[in-house]
Amino acid sequence: SNIGEVVNQGFELSVNWTKQFGKDLMVDFRGNFTYNQNEHKYVDEPNYPYVWQTDTGKPLNTYKGYIAEGLFSSEEEIANSPDQSQLGANIMPGDIKYRDLNGDGKITEDDQCMISKYGSVPRLQYGFGGTINYKKFDFGIFFSGSALRSILINGLDPFLEGNRIPNKNVLKFIADNHWSVDNPNPNAEYPRLGLTTGDIGNNTVNSTYWLRNGSFLRLKNLEIGYKIPYGRIYVSGANLLRFSPFDLWDPELSSWNSYPLQRTVNVGLQLNF
């Protein structure tokens, strides 16, 4: 039955510090920190033959899939490896190789496990920044970020399959570093391409091959101002910089084809009457 028990816990922290130094200098610093984790305390699930198939005792937002062991380099390696035909017919060099967890000589759903305890929802979110006012000048800055989050990037095949949209754009990392006969790199960032049949079933399933760290830190806002008679002039920017181990697209977006966050720079004049 669709019943169970979930434990959800976490904490939030917010700090703000303001101090005036004489008549010319004032500083204000602030920060926030949020952490959350959950766990399936109990799940009414089948009596699975293998412990790695269970959900009880594991977080809710996790990724399940296969453990990838690189790309097949030859027909001989395919012949001497567990049978992967259930994931896609005609396994060829350049396809992803998976680990046979239960040792039965074939790759099936029984070999799927939790490949990341972090899902698409970050467990940790934070922000920090401040404002400094010195005589007629003011400077403000704020960073925001998230951590303990994973991204799966499978399903990026750029070619036609069935009634899917044809002629999709090819992401640069696929064009630059995919396995091919001319580039038989066992560590290529993308496996062989299905040039006539679209997605290759064996290569599109969830696996550690496609798992990426989705943490990031963003310079969210930056502003510099100067007081003038009856007003203020300023220069401000939003989404100016991003620091992340994930560089294929903006990790804050829900998917690779989402509309990107805009980087903006403004010059303004505020007048007081």
Side-chain angles (χ1 to χ4, degrees):
S1 301
N2 185 23
I3 59 174
E5 180 182 352
V6 172
V7 175
N8 191 66
Q9 57 188 355
F11 61 90
E12 295 183 3
L13 175 66
S14 179
V15 295
N16 185 264
W17 182 78
T18 303
K19 187 172 180 61
Q20 183 79 38
F21 296 90
K23 65 176 183 177
D24 293 330
L25 178 63
M26 190 274 289
V27 296
D28 178 87
F29 294 110
R30 57 192 179 276
N32 59 77
F33 183 94
T34 302
Y35 177 80
N36 177 267
Q37 67 176 11
N38 52 51
E39 177 183 305
H40 285 109
K41 194 69 174 179
Y42 166 75
V43 180
D44 186 21
E45 54 189 347
N47 185 21
Y48 291 113
Y50 308 107
V51 66
W52 59 78
Q53 296 176 296
T54 63
D55 288 322
T56 300
K58 299 173 184 175
L60 275 69
N61 298 310
T62 63
Y63 285 124
K64 287 186 176 182
Y66 299 94
I67 298 176
E69 298 186 318
L71 304 177
F72 285 114
S73 60
S74 64
E75 294 288 354
E76 180 181 5
E77 183 181 9
I78 295 173
N80 293 324
S81 299
D83 178 20
Q84 295 188 185
S85 60
Q86 292 192 35
L87 302 184
N90 301 321
I91 305 299
M92 299 174 62
D95 287 347
I96 303 173
K97 177 181 179 180
Y98 302 111
R99 182 177 302 174
D100 182 13
L101 288 184
N102 62 0
D104 64 355
K106 55 187 177 181
I107 304 300
T108 66
E109 290 185 355
D110 289 342
D111 297 303
Q112 291 191 30
C113 63
M114 182 177 70
I115 57 176
S116 174
K117 63 180 180 179
Y118 306 127
S120 59
V121 178
R123 286 195 189 180
L124 175 63
Q125 298 191 77
Y126 60 94
F128 59 91
T131 303
I132 299 175
N133 293 278
Y134 179 71
K135 294 185 177 180
K136 294 184 178 183
F137 290 94
D138 61 87
F139 172 80
I141 190 170
F142 193 79
F143 291 87
S144 65
S146 67
L148 306 182
R149 172 177 178 258
S150 296
I151 298 176
L152 275 179
I153 65 170
N154 51 329
L156 300 178
D157 184 83
F159 302 107
L160 173 66
E161 180 188 27
N163 60 357
R164 290 176 51 189
I165 299 175
N167 302 322
K168 293 187 294 183
N169 290 335
V170 180
L171 296 179
K172 186 176 186 300
F173 89 97
I174 300 177
D176 291 346
N177 193 10
H178 65 274
W179 189 99
S180 67
V181 175
D182 296 328
N183 179 42
N185 179 7
N187 299 311
E189 288 191 78
Y190 199 89
R192 72 178 177 96
L193 297 174
L195 298 180
T196 59
T197 59
D199 289 341
I200 299 170
N202 179 84
N203 297 337
T204 59
V205 296
N206 288 0
S207 75
T208 55
Y209 184 88
W210 303 112
L211 197 62
R212 301 292 187 274
N213 183 350
S215 303
F216 69 89
L217 172 65
R218 185 187 304 280
L219 175 53
K220 192 67 177 177
N221 295 294
L222 178 68
E223 185 168 328
I224 301 174
Y226 180 77
K227 291 180 180 179
I228 60 175
Y230 307 108
R232 173 177 175 267
I233 57 174
Y234 67 91
V235 177
S236 65
N239 301 320
L240 297 178
L241 295 172
R242 184 185 71 247
F243 309 94
S244 174
F246 183 81
D247 60 0
L248 301 182
W249 59 82
D250 192 330
E252 193 171 3
L253 302 180
S254 59
S255 64
W256 70 274
N257 57 357
S258 299
Y259 194 80
L261 296 177
Q262 296 185 9
R263 180 184 294 120
T264 60
V265 176
N266 299 308
V267 177
L269 171 64
Q270 297 173 332
L271 296 176
N272 301 318
F273 297 100

